[in-house]
Amino acid sequence: MILRVFGLSLLITVAALVAAFLYGGWNGLFICVILGILEISLSFDNAVMNATILERMSAFWQKMFLTVGILIAVFGMRILFPLVIVWATAGLNPGQALDLALNPPNPETPDNPSYETIMLEAHPQIAALGGMFLLLIFLDYAFDSDRRFWGRMVEPGLARLGRINNASVIVALAVLLAGSMAVDGDERATVLTAGLVGMIGYLAISGLTALFDTSEVGREAAAAAELAGDGRGRPEPVLLVGKAAFMLFLYLEMLDASFSFDGVVGAFAITSDPILIALGLGFIGAMFVRSMTVYLVRAGTLAQYRYLENGAHWAIGALAAILLVSLAVEVSEVVSGLVGIGFIGAALFSSVRANRAERHAAH
């Protein structure tokens, strides 16, 4: 199964490294390797979170995630997204933005900002949009009382707060307002707008997904699964198809994009070359993240380690907080990655300990 899941990623990695060498020589190859390792090592929480969603989708939509989804991740987020940011903030069309990236101006001419400078100046909009999208994901999880709790105090306490109607939206709006007050007056309206766009995107996609998920067909499938079970007293998971699966696919792509915001911006600390960023972050990093996601689903890792989903949501909450804090204070993407890995590691440890205690109780 490992070869079947990771085989394509390995082939694409080899091709990307060859392309990086042909494009930029040994220096290009080295940068590509660094970017790929950075993306893979800091995105395990992304893979775990993706897996919690992907396991609800049929085999067809899992294949779509590995094919169409990778095109969106590579060309959409690693190539088009930076170009669109430069176009929106500097008034340059995508062709001019690409030319600016490939032919940077003389650094001694401040009147001609570089591609990297323009991208870094757009960080408040990116952080607000991605931060609010991820924050709502975490808050909806934290305020949900119908799930397995990790720990005895924090999560149950947050679930009690969720009894307030629209609690997640109220908290998110308060956080966005506080975040906008942390930036200069000229950027305040921009941050508010970007944050609201992130919130609207999440609410629209999650709302449509829930609408299709609770359709008559979905209820009938769920009822059938309850009757069938899995032989151990638990219902078989209902795999979504049709419109519900399509909306969940869009939600998954938005989630994946939000996770990659800080990585894409952080890559400019290493290189501003869009070709190397696409090869390292996209063709190597994003492809391996997808393969890890599919492996977690097919190996049943989420079922075996019961608190992994909890840890992934806390990693999302931490990343949302870091993105919003970065509106006022510069935060390295390495910090966000290490925090995410910390939550995943703690969830794994708790799962192993709970499984061991369960086995001892059974004997």
Side-chain angles (χ1 to χ4, degrees):
M1 183 178 68
I2 293 178
L3 182 61
R4 193 163 58 246
V5 173
F6 287 93
L8 181 59
S9 296
L10 291 171
L11 289 175
I12 290 178
T13 295
V14 172
L17 292 176
V18 171
F21 178 75
L22 294 176
Y23 173 75
W26 290 108
N27 185 57
L29 177 63
F30 177 74
I31 291 174
C32 185
V33 169
I34 293 298
L35 291 173
I37 292 174
L38 183 68
E39 180 78 355
I40 294 169
S41 62
L42 301 182
S43 297
F44 186 72
D45 53 345
N46 186 5
V48 173
M49 191 61 217
N50 287 348
T52 66
I53 299 169
L54 201 65
E55 68 176 358
R56 297 182 57 204
M57 302 168 74
S58 65
F60 169 78
W61 285 101
Q62 290 182 13
K63 291 179 181 177
M64 289 288 286
F65 179 70
L66 273 177
T67 53
V68 177
I70 196 64
L71 293 177
I72 296 173
V74 175
F75 294 101
M77 283 306 301
R78 273 70 180 188
I79 297 178
L80 291 181
F81 172 68
L83 295 177
V84 169
I85 291 297
V86 174
W87 162 69
T89 57
L92 301 176
N93 63 48
Q96 293 172 323
L98 181 60
D99 180 68
L100 179 63
L102 295 175
N103 301 286
N106 189 326
E108 297 180 359
T109 56
D111 293 337
N112 296 315
S114 67
Y115 182 80
E116 176 184 0
T117 300
I118 296 172
M119 275 296 299
L120 293 177
E121 288 177 349
H123 176 74
Q125 298 97 298
I126 299 170
L129 192 154
M132 294 311 300
F133 186 90
L134 293 176
L135 180 63
L136 275 175
I137 293 175
F138 170 73
L139 291 176
D140 274 353
Y141 154 82
F143 294 154
D144 180 16
S145 59
D146 187 21
R147 60 179 175 83
R148 174 188 286 125
F149 293 134
W150 181 26
R152 299 180 181 179
M153 295 183 61
V154 176
E155 289 199 354
L158 290 173
R160 285 193 290 272
L161 289 177
R163 297 171 185 171
I164 302 172
N165 288 337
N166 301 314
S168 58
V169 175
I170 294 171
V171 173
L173 286 172
V175 170
L176 177 59
L177 182 60
S180 68
M181 300 301 291
V183 300
D184 295 335
D186 295 339
E187 294 183 335
R188 195 162 294 161
T190 301
V191 167
L192 283 171
T193 302
L196 288 174
V197 169
M199 292 182 64
I200 291 170
Y202 170 79
L203 293 172
I205 293 176
S206 62
L208 288 172
T209 302
L211 173 65
F212 292 129
D213 193 7
T214 55
S215 65
E216 191 63 36
V217 174
R219 287 196 295 272
E220 290 176 1
E226 288 283 355
L227 292 174
D230 63 356
R232 290 172 291 179
R234 296 197 304 266
E236 288 284 356
V238 179
L239 300 180
L240 299 183
V241 296
K243 294 178 181 178
F246 175 69
M247 294 308 303
L248 201 61
F249 174 77
L250 291 182
Y251 173 78
L252 186 58
E253 290 302 321
M254 282 288 291
L255 173 64
D256 195 56
S258 298
F259 262 103
S260 65
F261 280 157
D262 63 331
V264 172
V265 175
F268 284 88
I270 299 173
T271 179
S272 60
D273 191 311
I275 305 300
L276 293 177
I277 289 176
L279 290 172
L281 294 186
F283 285 100
I284 297 177
M287 191 64 197
F288 263 99
V289 170
R290 274 159 168 68
S291 293
M292 285 192 293
T293 298
V294 173
Y295 178 79
L296 290 172
V297 172
R298 296 182 182 174
T301 306
L302 297 179
Q304 182 179 1
Y305 300 101
R306 64 188 73 184
Y307 296 122
L308 264 184
E309 183 176 354
N310 304 62
H313 277 94
W314 279 98
I316 281 182
L319 179 57
I322 288 171
L323 283 172
L324 294 172
V325 166
S326 69
L327 291 171
V329 181
E330 183 177 350
V331 182
S332 170
E333 69 278 2
V334 175
V335 173
S336 62
L338 292 177
V339 170
I341 291 173
F343 277 115
I344 296 298
L348 276 171
F349 176 77
S350 297
S351 299
V352 170
R353 188 172 60 178
N355 291 341
R356 187 181 297 120
E358 203 171 73
R359 286 194 298 270
H360 285 319
H363 292 302

